[in-house]
Structures are given as C-alpha cells and as structure tokens.
Amino acid sequence: MPEPLLRVAALDAHYGDFQALFGLSMTLGQGEVAAVIGANGAGKSTLLNAIAGLIRSRADSIRFDGQDIGDEPANRVVARGIALVPEGRRLFPSLSVEENLLVGGQLHRPGPWTLGRIFELFPVLGERRRQASTSLSGGQQQMVAIGRALMSNPALLLCDEISLGLAPIIVRDIYATLRRIVAGGTAAIVVEQDIGQALAIADRVYCLQEGRVALEGLAGQVTRADISAAYFGV
Ligand SMILES: Nc1ncnc2c1ncn2[C@@H]1O[C@H](COP(=O)(O)OP(=O)(O)O)[C@@H](O)[C@H]1O
Ligand SMILES: [Mg+2]
C-alpha cells in the first residue's frame, strides 16, 4: 500500500491559551480532492494554515510526500509542493496582475504552470496583466490568487473559501476551472462554508466542528443530512 500524499495525524493548534484544533487527522491520496466543511470558527483556516507552514506544529503531525513537515516554515513547504490560496485572497495591492502571479513562481519549482498557461486558464488575466490587482473584480482577484498558487507548481493546492463573497455564476466558473486543474493530477483541499460546490468536486469530505472532525467519509457516501447534522451539531 503506497503512502498517502498527505497525512495529518493528531494535529493540535493553539493561539496563545486558546486551542483551535484538537487531535485532528486526515488523509489525502495523490491527486485526490478533499472538501473541508464547517461553520465559521470551526478551525478550517487553522488547518490549512498549519499544513501550509504558516502555523508551526509538531514535525510528525503533518506528513507530505514521505516527509514530516509539521515544523517547517511556509517557504520550505511551498518548495515541497504545497500552495495555499488564502482566505480573503491576500493579493499584493501595489503589484500588477502579472507581478502578483510571478511572486508565486519565484521558487521555480519545475512543472507545467507558467505565466502563459495561467493566462490560457484565465484569459481575462492576460488581458489585464498590467493592471493593478486592486482594479479587478472580486472574481478576477480570486483568479489571480489561484493563479499565484499554481505558479509554484504544487502537488497539493489548498483553497480557503474561494467562493466567499462571489456571485453564484462566478463561483460556478471558478469551480469549473478548479475541476480542470485537479483533472491534471493536482490534489486539493477545498475549504468552504457553502457545501454545494465543494461536495461536487470532492472525493472525500471532512466536517469540522469546534476544532475536531465531526464527520468524514467518501463524498459519494455521506448524505446532505449527515453533513447538516455534523455542521450544526444536532
Ligand atoms: N490569530 C488568531 N488569534 C486568536 N484566535 C484565533 C486566531 N485565528 C483564529 N482564531 C480562532 O480559532 C478558531 C478557528 O478559527 P479559524 O481556523 O479561522 O476558523 P474557520 O476558518 O473555520 O472559520 C476560532 O475560534 C477563531 O476565533
Ligand atoms: Mg476560515
């Protein structure tokens, strides 16, 4: 049995005295997509930030591609092939669209993603490459954030609420693009409060509640009722 691409084991996370994650475990195979669903404050961003190295943890609580990486800083984690699309996008406001994308590619990890490929994926970004990222619509800014993450040629893409605040038709487009990205073999963890899109793209589902996994299963096997119960804790 080959080792999974990602194994989170007994992960705790604290902010000062406050404990945000309690012994959290999850597994993701090569090229798989996991949806992480949960209410505001459940610990979804903390989990992604821990995997991405923005929050340090015990080395062996996060294992990726055969290595314990829980104690590694974010730049090392990016170099290993994990890229985060952060909550709220966090674009560099003083930089153009193209410059924001190039920031994501500065480690020059080998792989298929180049500026040209990002502009094929999101043609509107090619048209607006010289514009300030702040002059774009919310949906276009989300495309820049996704493109910036892809520029590091990740084996695992972490998406933190990429649909937040966007119109349903834009969300549908972004998820259609995400489907193309994962069809190319990139694994992903998709964090959402809105379960519809995330469930449709996922192989596995994890519902978080107050820092713990309240429900996990194969996407085809957990029902909406199961998820609602785990989500609302009823
Ligand atoms: N920087 C921080 N300092 C203190 N508490 C935090 C911080 N970030 C998150 N928290 C707390 O940790 C818990 C989980 O937060 P978060 O991971 O952001 O949840 P989610 O992404 O599911 O909304 C919440 O109770 C939140 O208030
Ligand atoms: Mg969050």
Side-chain angles (χ1 to χ4, degrees), residues 95-137:
L95 300 185
S96 69
V97 167
E98 181 169 314
E99 288 165 339
N100 265 282
L101 293 172
L102 289 172
V103 168
Q106 61 193 351
L107 287 174
H108 301 291
R109 256 177 69 85
W113 294 106
T114 59
L115 212 46
R117 286 284 315 281
I118 302 295
F119 292 151
E120 281 172 31
L121 191 69
F122 299 115
V124 67
L125 299 188
E127 292 158 20
R128 309 205 165 179
R129 61 198 291 174
R130 309 256 177 253
Q131 282 181 228
S133 57
T134 45
S135 71
L136 272 54
S137 71

Side-chain angles (χ1 to χ4, degrees), residues 89-229:
R89 305 189 276 268
R90 307 271 179 108
L91 300 182
F92 301 101
S94 61
L95 300 185
S96 69
V97 167
E98 181 169 314
E99 288 165 339
N100 265 282
L101 293 172
L102 289 172
V103 168
Q106 61 193 351
L107 287 174
H108 301 291
R109 256 177 69 85
W113 294 106
T114 59
L115 212 46
R117 286 284 315 281
I118 302 295
F119 292 151
E120 281 172 31
L121 191 69
F122 299 115
V124 67
L125 299 188
E127 292 158 20
R128 309 205 165 179
R129 61 198 291 174
R130 309 256 177 253
Q131 282 181 228
S133 57
T134 45
S135 71
L136 272 54
S137 71
Q140 291 163 354
Q141 290 189 29
Q142 193 58 267
M143 293 172 198
V144 177
I146 294 168
R148 182 180 58 185
L150 289 176
M151 285 290 286
S152 68
N153 279 300
L156 173 61
L157 184 65
L158 308 174
C159 297
D160 198 348
E161 300 211 38
I162 54 174
S163 69
L164 196 67
L166 302 180
I169 188 166
I170 308 293
V171 172
R172 214 180 53 203
D173 280 357
I174 285 184
Y175 266 86
T177 308
L178 192 56
R179 207 163 271 117
R180 287 170 58 193
I181 294 164
V182 300
T186 308
I189 301 178
V190 177
V191 158
E192 288 286 358
Q193 290 190 51
D194 168 26
I195 63 179
Q197 296 288 345
L199 260 192
I201 200 173
D203 302 296
R204 294 169 184 273
V205 182
Y206 292 85
C207 293
L208 296 197
Q209 201 182 75
E210 295 179 358
R212 294 181 168 87
V213 175
L215 173 74
E216 69 174 280
L218 296 175
Q221 290 174 7
V222 297
T223 66
R224 293 277 181 140
D226 295 336
I227 292 172
S228 297

Side-chain angles (χ1 to χ4, degrees), residues 14-19:
H14 298 84
Y15 297 102
D17 290 341
F18 177 79
Q19 186 163 1

Side-chain angles (χ1 to χ4, degrees), residues 40-41 43-46 87 160-161 191 193:
N40 197 20
K44 306 180 298 298
S45 295
T46 302
E87 187 175 271
D160 198 348
E161 300 211 38
V191 158
Q193 290 190 51

